[in-house]
Amino acid sequence: MHLAYPAVLAVLLFCTGLYGVLARRNAILVLMSVELMLNAVNLNLVAFDVWLRDALHAGQALTLFTIAIAAAEIGIGLAIVLMVYRNRGTSDIDKLRDNAETAGTDETAGTDETAGADATAGPDEKAEAAA
């Protein structure tokens, strides 16, 4: 078996998954793209195991562990996405990021100004401000 065929297929799968992670806005599609990337790695592990004729079949054993980890990752990831969807009403990553940034800046806007004034004030000025 030529190693080039599965390697090229794995590269195409990995690049498709990488594009999906970087370009998609839906969290479920991002999780599916991560699964594509993991499957490309699994394909490489099995192809190199067959090509090297490993007596222990370490590539195939590692592939089984990767599949188990991917199943756990997708289960936890889907649970998180469903909880976020129930709480926020959307699974759009850009909208969730915008909500997090606006909430963080509103809460810290007032505290930064007063903390900066207290930090530069001397002991006498702090006592006058407290009185």
Side-chain angles (χ1 to χ4, degrees):
M1 177 176 91
H2 293 288
L3 185 62
Y5 300 130
V8 168
L9 180 61
V11 166
L12 290 174
L13 277 174
F14 192 85
C15 288
T16 304
L18 186 64
Y19 173 75
V21 167
L22 296 176
R24 299 291 178 191
R25 289 182 172 81
N26 191 347
I28 294 175
L29 291 178
V30 170
L31 287 173
M32 288 174 59
S33 298
V34 169
E35 289 296 320
L36 265 177
M37 293 167 56
L38 285 173
N39 285 329
V41 171
N42 287 339
L43 181 62
N44 267 334
L45 285 171
V46 171
F48 276 99
D49 183 52
V50 169
W51 185 64
L52 293 173
R53 293 183 178 93
D54 186 20
L56 295 176
H57 299 291
Q60 293 178 16
L62 191 56
T63 299
L64 290 175
F65 285 115
T66 308
I67 290 171
I69 289 172
E73 174 257 336
I74 202 70
I76 292 172
L78 280 175
I80 291 171
V81 168
L82 285 174
M83 289 305 297
V84 167
Y85 182 77
R86 285 182 186 168
N87 289 336
R88 303 275 175 97
T90 184
S91 64
D92 189 4
I93 294 174
D94 290 336
K95 289 181 182 176
L96 295 175
R97 186 179 306 133
D98 292 340
N99 289 342
E101 289 175 358
T102 56
T105 56
D106 292 341
E107 294 173 3
T108 59
T111 57
D112 288 339
E113 295 170 1
T114 57
D118 289 341
T120 58
D124 296 332
E125 293 172 354
K126 286 182 182 177
E128 289 175 8

